[in-house]
Amino acid sequence: MENITKHPILEIPDKKKIKFKFDGKLLYGFEGMVISSALFLNKIRIFGHHKKDGSPQGLFCSNGQCSQCNVIVNGIPVKACMTPLKVGMIVESCNGLPELPAEDDPVDVGDSEIIEIEVLIIGAGPAGLSATKILGEYKLKIILVDDKDRLGGKLVLQTHKFFGSQEEVYAGKRGIEIAKILGQQVQSLPNAQIWLNSVCLAVFS
């Protein structure tokens, strides 16, 4: 597999070549790519093996929804398709269930802030963005949360043009373009907060 340098639709910026290790072997990738892309670039398809039967595991959903591409980075299990490659990173195969470090550095979260809202929307894909837009127009106080670094969900992976109604589903536009349109609409709402790179936890008492 070769690194893509030209694309008929997407702009491919120049990236710096960097070193990393996988299972002790020195490899090269490019700054900004995720670990799974760097491994594929080096013709590595198997990232680990399943605990139950030892079957090989590797890239599957490519969107952080499963754990098939888990690897160990500096002793911590991560999803290879979501974790950016860094200079000098030590990556290891994930064979069986990963083990967490016996001792972890405590995290000081400081004083917790209590925020009262009317609607919490989890997931900034097309459904979450549409719900935020509609409810936001009713002046409801909203927080939109997503664990990715950008708005759009799977739309940001789609370069094909959509079909159907131009007014309702933006027919004739690509998924990446629709993600930008919906993102701009929710970002313009004064009563909606957007939290990216965030995880939701429910605590019941």
Side-chain angles (χ1 to χ4, degrees):
M1 179 179 178
E2 296 182 358
N3 192 42
I4 296 174
T5 56
K6 292 183 180 180
H7 193 278
I9 298 169
L10 303 174
E11 292 185 7
I12 308 296
D14 292 332
K15 296 180 179 180
K16 180 182 177 182
K17 195 174 184 180
I18 58 177
K19 299 178 182 179
F20 73 104
K21 284 187 176 182
F22 180 70
D23 286 344
K25 185 178 180 180
L26 182 64
L27 302 174
Y28 292 88
F30 290 90
E31 202 170 50
M33 65 170 35
V34 291
I35 294 172
S36 58
S37 295
L39 292 176
F40 262 62
L41 182 63
N42 287 276
K43 300 181 180 180
I44 296 172
R45 305 290 185 269
I46 297 174
F47 301 172
H49 295 84
H50 196 275
K51 170 184 179 292
K52 187 174 182 179
D53 58 4
S55 58
Q57 297 194 132
L59 197 60
F60 184 67
C61 76
S62 301
N63 195 36
Q65 304 303 312
C66 72
S67 57
Q68 291 290 315
C69 68
N70 272 3
V71 292
I72 309 298
V73 174
N74 301 331
I76 303 295
V78 301
K79 295 179 180 180
C81 72
M82 297 300 298
T83 306
L85 185 69
K86 294 182 180 179
V87 177
M89 185 176 270
I90 306 297
V91 184
E92 299 173 288
S93 299
C94 182
N95 296 305
L97 291 177
E99 294 184 5
L100 295 175
E103 295 184 6
D104 198 2
D105 294 331
V107 177
D108 182 10
V109 297
D111 295 330
S112 298
E113 181 182 2
I114 297 177
I115 302 175
E116 294 187 4
I117 56 169
E118 294 171 287
V119 183
L120 172 65
I121 297 176
I122 302 174
L129 290 172
S130 298
T132 302
K133 176 180 179 294
I134 293 171
L135 295 175
E137 290 172 350
Y138 284 96
K139 310 302 181 184
L140 295 174
K141 294 174 64 177
I142 303 167
I143 291 181
L144 172 64
V145 181
D146 197 281
D147 61 347
K148 308 297 188 300
D149 63 353
R150 70 189 77 176
L151 299 171
K154 286 185 169 56
L155 285 174
V156 302
L157 305 176
Q158 298 171 347
T159 56
H160 63 275
K161 292 184 178 181
F162 279 60
F163 56 87
S165 168
Q166 290 185 349
E167 293 183 0
E168 295 182 4
V169 295
Y170 303 102
K173 294 189 180 297
R174 305 182 191 279
I176 52 177
E177 297 172 328
I178 298 172
K180 289 181 180 178
I181 292 171
L182 294 176
Q184 290 170 352
Q185 289 175 348
V186 300
Q187 287 172 328
S188 67
L189 296 170
N191 48 312
Q193 299 182 47
I194 299 172
W195 294 6
L196 296 176
N197 295 313
S198 300
V199 177
C200 281
L201 296 175
V203 178
F204 301 92
S205 61

